[in-house]
Amino acid sequence: MDAISYRPIGIIHTPFATPKATPIQPKYAEGAKGRVVLDQAYAEGLADVDGFSHITLVYHLHRSEGYKLKVVPYLDTEERGLFATRAPRRPNAIGISVVVLERVEGNVLHIANVDMLDGTPLLDIKPYVEGFVGDTPVHTGWIGRVSHERAEGRADDRFHKEDD
Ligand SMILES: C[S@@+](CC[C@H](N)C(=O)[O-])C[C@H]1O[C@@H](n2cnc3c(N)ncnc32)[C@H](O)[C@@H]1O
């Protein structure tokens, strides 16, 4: 298949300079504040975004290199198929995070619960709408079997380690 290329529409700023100091998901990043600086050319597209409490950010995991198709995820000790995980090293290094939208000021979005590195290139913004999932029951595979306490513990451990 032909390659597809995207141009970033902005930059995500966060307090996190190294991968290991970065929370693994917004759930484990409560209170971590950041900013999206959208390229001025797209600012008009932010009209009405302030009505949403959460937005989905789609971004390029720009410091991710390579991938393996079987990985031991952060929240587990067993190997899992890459596509059953949210691991950052992937054939297409695309990340998605549902973050809290605190306010919009011109082309700047003030956000919270950020789990990406400072300087991450932004590809898209979409409003988060819980109801769009529909009524089919949600099954969360191996992640649903990780106990809440264990997940919190593992996320926390990693968050407090120094980077490689
Ligand atoms: C488990 S991934 C989840 C990212 C996103 N929430 C998702 O599910 O697609 C989060 C981890 O990716 C790494 N990471 C975050 N931003 C990155 C970036 N711009 N480049 C490379 N790695 C990044 C950090 O180690 C962070 O803890």
Side-chain angles (χ1 to χ4, degrees), residues 21-42:
T22 308
I24 60 172
Q25 287 295 342
K27 179 175 170 57
Y28 307 106
E30 295 268 341
K33 305 219 177 201
R35 271 177 316 127
V36 169
V37 179
L38 193 69
D39 192 301
Q40 275 293 354
Y42 305 109

Side-chain angles (χ1 to χ4, degrees), residues 3-104:
I4 300 164
S5 74
Y6 291 111
R7 198 178 293 282
I9 60 169
I11 299 289
I12 309 171
H13 294 285
T14 74
F16 306 115
T18 63
K20 276 197 179 161
T22 308
I24 60 172
Q25 287 295 342
K27 179 175 170 57
Y28 307 106
E30 295 268 341
K33 305 219 177 201
R35 271 177 316 127
V36 169
V37 179
L38 193 69
D39 192 301
Q40 275 293 354
Y42 305 109
E44 194 183 346
L46 290 176
D48 306 308
V49 168
D50 61 0
F52 294 86
S53 62
H54 294 72
I55 50 175
T56 302
L57 300 180
V58 183
Y59 49 89
H60 176 46
L61 292 153
H62 67 309
R63 282 172 54 188
S64 163
E65 280 176 19
Y67 66 90
K68 289 189 195 147
L69 293 176
K70 287 292 204 68
V71 295
V72 178
Y74 299 134
L75 291 182
D76 206 359
T77 49
E78 273 182 53
E79 215 171 41
R80 306 285 177 187
L82 174 65
F83 301 118
T85 78
R86 305 287 284 257
R89 296 188 184 91
R90 326 183 64 85
N92 291 318
I94 292 172
I96 54 168
S97 300
V98 176
V99 299
V100 171
L101 177 62
E102 295 192 323
R103 63 184 195 284
V104 181

Side-chain angles (χ1 to χ4, degrees), residues 28 73 75-76 80 84-86 140-148 151:
Y28 307 106
L75 291 182
D76 206 359
R80 306 285 177 187
T85 78
R86 305 287 284 257
T140 52
W142 68 267
I143 297 177
R145 295 191 291 274
V146 176
S147 81
H148 177 70

